[in-house]
Amino acid sequence: MAESLFSRLGTRRALLVGCLLLPILLAGCSSSVTLQPHYFWDSLFHPSPAIINGLGLTIGISVVAQIIGVILGIFAAMGKMAKRRLFRWLAGFYVWIFRGTPLLVQLTFFVFGLSAAGIFKWPGIVIGPIDILPEILAGTIIMGVNEGAYMAEIVRAGIMAVDPGQTEAAKSLGMTYGLTMRRIVLPQAARVIIPPLGNEFNNMLKTTSLLVAVSVFELYNTFSTAAGRTYASFEFLAACALWYLLLTTIWGFFQAWVERRLARGTAGSADYNGYSLRARLWGLRNNSGNQGGR
Amino acid sequence: MTTLNISNDLLGAIGGVPRPETDVVVDARDVNKFFGRLHVLKDVSIQVKRQETVVIIGPSGSGKTTFIRCINHLEKIQGGRIFVNGHLIGYRETPAGRGLPIVGGLPIVKRLSVVGRRRKGAEGVTKLVEDREKNVAAQRQEIGMVFQRFNLFPHMTAIENIIEAPIHVRGTSKDEAMVMGRALLERVGLVAKENVYPNQLSGGQQQRIAIARALAMKPALMLFDEPTSALDPEMIGEVLEVMKELAREGMTMIVVSHEMGFAREVANRVVMMDEGVVVEEGTPDQVFSVPSQERTKTFLSKIL
């Protein structure tokens, strides 16, 4: 029976259904504890403003931190490949520190550690209509800086995958290093960088839950606070997990779509009709011809 | 069939009259180059005058490709000097004995040791340091280069490949660059391929776009690094045709090539290199018909 269920629904969807049914089953079975399933259902289908806010924070922080991470990663990768030993050393040091220590320690150290020592206290900032609390600013930046250390290796692999002839051609046209990187190398490296970047962002979405340590009320903190207040840990944390699952699942579909688009143009693939990387990346195809696969 | 345009004044200037061989465009003096311990260029000295076409021949591993890569400083040299239009390429002289030169606030550690050896107290002795990247880039603007493997930018269309450097390096306006780009496409006979990406073009077409891309910077000198070696035989002709036309128009060119027919027809001079040394140098007739060196004879007998 389980087999037929799995085969009909597909593993992933079967698991999802399982997750949804589990609390109800358990609520029915258990006798010693009383669960309050409405906490579970309400936070899924009638999320409170606090949950919506937490969801927004999780997405917003993830996106901004990932952008910071990509930018820092590009610079760190270029630093690691630089001719000057100083740049190589600086980039290496950065990656070494932020990959070598736990993110949780980094968060708490740079927020509580620094302020306790009187070295630095994070300010709150206002961008237009949005008032950004100090802990949110700190959390976003620290997560971004941490992410940059991981992105550095990914970007470096991407840059190294670009034919050295491209750099030579750009140089021979009188292009400087910066221009060569920006106009010639990085656009081509993007194709190698984007698939692992998708995985990094998936990770980022979940890892923001560590921001509970610096009391940012993102998704996890919102739920764990509610769980603590009501003692309905099971209901709230299960719902919390499902929210994360929803985010990463949506992202997963988006990632798969982007990667299909990228894969279409790989050298030697039969269905490639000469669309540029840019066209493929951003979906600028102007025909509806066969594309293989879906 | 390629269509080629030559401006009328150029035709007038060329029309049968021998080219004015006046000033020297390339002046390479005693160039020495090492890859690790391997001595790949040994005191190579070559001069190329304005509007001259010099073809460098020689067996593989003879250093001919390395040599022309040194001319636009894609390779560093460990000894000698290369001047293009009177400018020292890739390096600048600093008075010796003044400590490390300061560039951009940071001392440059690398130094040329072979040239201008530092002598204590010697007056007027200079040493060479590698020039700033920005200055080298500026020098390269005047030197066009065409590669064996084309190296077109795959994420840009033909016309985008051509106008990229004029716009972003020279600061030409997009409209102006487009006009020039189309004229260049016409010149290499590929107007129809304006909006086509490189991987949809044949090797010969790609190489012609690469030539147009280099010409878009209006260089004073063109370097060709075995431009037809990666091409299918039936495509070699169209690329050589463009190059011949360019030579006839009076472009100063250095061509590393195995195309002896091209060398015979177009070259003012042929330089034979072997094992990092210039073995022989002369007009195509001299080198091909009555080579003076045994090494040249052996090489020619193998490839002709």
Side-chain angles (χ1 to χ4, degrees):
Chain A
M1 197 223 131
E3 232 171 85
S4 68
L5 181 74
F6 267 76
S7 59
R8 220 177 305 143
L9 288 173
T11 318
R12 191 190 273 186
R13 263 176 268 178
L15 281 173
L16 191 69
V17 171
C19 286
L20 282 164
L21 293 179
L22 195 66
I24 305 161
L25 286 173
L26 284 172
C29 296
S30 63
S31 49
S32 56
V33 265
T34 42
L35 291 180
Q36 297 165 287
H38 69 274
Y39 281 135
F40 175 79
W41 296 115
D42 282 352
S43 44
L44 282 186
F45 296 108
H46 305 286
S48 66
I51 293 174
I52 298 290
N53 186 52
L55 196 65
L57 267 181
T58 288
I59 296 171
I61 290 173
S62 299
V63 169
V64 176
Q66 190 66 52
I67 291 170
I68 294 173
V70 169
I71 293 168
L72 284 178
I74 289 172
F75 281 110
M78 295 201 305
K80 278 200 143 190
M81 299 163 83
K83 264 192 241 163
R84 290 248 177 91
R85 201 173 301 166
L86 177 72
F87 292 156
R88 287 206 306 272
W89 188 86
L90 280 174
F93 184 75
Y94 161 60
V95 172
W96 179 59
I97 292 294
F98 281 90
R99 271 201 333 188
T101 55
L103 176 58
L104 189 57
V105 175
Q106 290 165 22
L107 283 168
T108 47
F109 176 79
F110 285 112
V111 176
F112 304 129
L114 291 188
S115 85
I119 298 169
F120 181 68
K121 212 169 168 341
W122 289 86
I125 54 165
V126 181
I127 301 172
I130 316 164
D131 201 349
I132 295 170
L133 298 170
E135 62 268 25
I136 295 176
L137 179 71
T140 310
I141 290 176
I142 296 162
M143 293 217 50
V145 173
N146 176 274
E147 177 60 22
Y150 289 90
M151 282 308 298
E153 287 305 307
I154 294 171
V155 173
R156 196 162 73 107
I159 291 174
M160 287 198 302
V162 176
D163 178 6
Q166 293 289 310
T167 314
E168 288 184 355
K171 275 185 181 175
S172 76
L173 289 165
M175 294 171 89
T176 54
Y177 175 75
L179 194 61
T180 305
M181 274 289 155
R182 193 160 54 80
R183 301 281 313 172
I184 309 300
V185 176
L186 288 176
Q188 293 181 60
R191 140 184 234 134
V192 179
I193 293 171
I194 278 171
L197 175 64
N199 293 341
E200 285 297 306
F201 186 68
N202 173 301
N203 244 326
M204 179 65 80
L205 282 169
K206 296 171 296 181
T207 313
T208 47
S209 57
L210 286 179
L211 290 174
V212 69
V214 290
S215 44
V216 172
F217 276 85
E218 43 67 64
L219 201 55
Y220 171 68
N221 200 357
T222 311
F223 273 100
S224 79
T225 306
R229 202 178 51 234
T230 57
Y231 299 106
S233 302
F234 184 88
E235 298 86 330
F236 275 118
L237 293 178
C240 178
L242 282 181
W243 273 115
Y244 278 110
L245 199 56
L246 180 71
L247 288 182
T248 53
T249 305
I250 292 172
W251 175 251
F253 281 123
F254 180 70
Q255 195 187 342
W257 175 78
V258 170
E259 280 174 30
R260 263 204 310 280
R261 222 153 246 288
L262 276 172
R264 205 179 284 147
T266 43
S269 85
D271 59 352
Y272 176 49
N273 349 302
Y275 284 88
S276 73
L277 176 68
R278 254 179 301 167
R280 274 174 271 128
L281 259 179
W282 310 118
L284 303 175
R285 285 173 72 94
N286 54 4
N287 74 342
S288 51
N290 68 316
Q291 293 152 21
R294 301 163 62 96
Chain B
M1 204 40 225
T2 52
T3 53
L4 298 162
N5 289 347
I6 316 173
S7 67
N8 283 333
D9 42 330
L10 263 178
L11 264 179
I14 300 163
V17 187
R19 292 178 204 167
E21 297 190 345
T22 47
D23 35 350
V24 177
V25 177
V26 179
D27 186 4
R29 295 183 204 160
D30 304 322
V31 174
N32 277 281
K33 162 87 191 162
F34 295 83
F35 283 126
R37 281 192 185 165
L38 192 65
H39 199 171
V40 286
L41 294 177
K42 300 164 188 162
D43 292 326
V44 175
S45 295
I46 290 176
Q47 285 201 345
V48 181
K49 299 194 178 90
R50 195 164 305 287
Q51 303 200 325
E52 214 181 11
T53 298
V54 172
V55 174
I56 305 178
I57 59 169
S60 59
S62 59
K64 50 198 192 318
T65 288
T66 306
F67 174 67
I68 67 162
R69 285 166 59 84
C70 291
I71 296 176
N72 68 353
H73 199 57
L74 284 179
E75 301 283 354
K76 289 176 190 171
I77 56 175
Q78 280 79 40
R81 278 150 211 239
I82 298 173
F83 296 91
V84 173
N85 278 335
H87 300 292
L88 181 60
I89 293 296
Y91 299 90
R92 58 201 183 84
E93 301 190 29
T94 45
R98 276 244 235 97
L100 288 175
I102 304 296
V103 172
L106 291 166
I108 279 197
V109 183
K110 277 177 195 144
R111 234 174 305 156
L112 267 192
S113 53
V114 181
V115 190
R117 260 180 232 98
R118 197 167 172 178
R119 272 178 245 137
K120 260 188 189 166
E123 274 297 312
V125 173
T126 59
K127 63 179 173 163
L128 294 188
V129 290
E130 198 166 7
D131 208 344
R132 296 162 107 153
E133 192 248 344
K134 216 172 95 183
N135 296 343
V136 177
Q139 291 178 330
R140 287 193 183 117
Q141 293 176 26
E142 315 303 322
I143 307 170
M145 184 151 191
V146 175
F147 298 86
Q148 184 178 354
R149 307 246 9 129
F150 331 132
N151 295 344
L152 289 180
F153 306 133
H155 57 306
M156 297 180 185
T157 61
I159 190 91
E160 285 171 344
N161 263 281
I162 295 171
I163 64 176
E164 174 69 17
I167 291 176
H168 292 280
V169 177
R170 286 241 194 264
T172 315
S173 75
K174 175 141 198 229
D175 294 338
E176 210 179 310
M178 284 296 280
V179 172
M180 182 183 65
R182 292 207 176 98
L184 282 167
L185 279 175
E186 198 183 326
R187 194 158 148 186
V188 297
L190 289 171
V191 188
K193 303 293 183 184
E194 179 178 324
N195 294 315
V196 168
Y197 286 93
N199 46 23
Q200 289 171 286
L201 296 168
S202 72
Q205 290 170 332
Q206 287 192 51
Q207 193 61 297
R208 283 188 278 158
I209 299 289
I211 294 173
R213 177 177 71 175
L215 289 176
M217 291 298 283
K218 301 195 167 74
L221 166 71
M222 285 283 284
L223 306 173
F224 292 84
D225 179 13
E226 306 202 24
T228 56
S229 300
L231 296 176
D232 290 338
E234 73 265 29
M235 290 164 187
I236 292 175
E238 61 192 61
V239 172
L240 290 182
E241 205 51 51
V242 172
M243 290 167 62
K244 283 176 197 168
E245 199 60 40
L246 206 55
R248 261 176 250 138
E249 286 172 34
M251 175 60 79
T252 312
M253 297 166 43
I254 302 180
V255 185
V256 170
S257 182
H258 295 295
E259 296 297 327
M260 297 304 152
F262 171 81
R264 258 182 197 285
E265 192 182 334
V266 185
N268 302 81
R269 248 178 327 133
V270 174
V271 174
M272 162 79 192
M273 279 180 78
D274 188 32
E275 293 180 343
V277 178
V278 174
V279 175
E280 184 163 2
E281 185 177 347
T283 64
D285 275 349
Q286 282 169 358
V287 175
F288 292 129
S289 308
V290 279
S292 63
Q293 300 294 317
E294 204 51 45
R295 191 66 199 83
T296 315
K297 284 177 199 161
T298 332
F299 174 69
L300 290 173
S301 69
K302 274 183 194 153
I303 61 158
L304 287 180

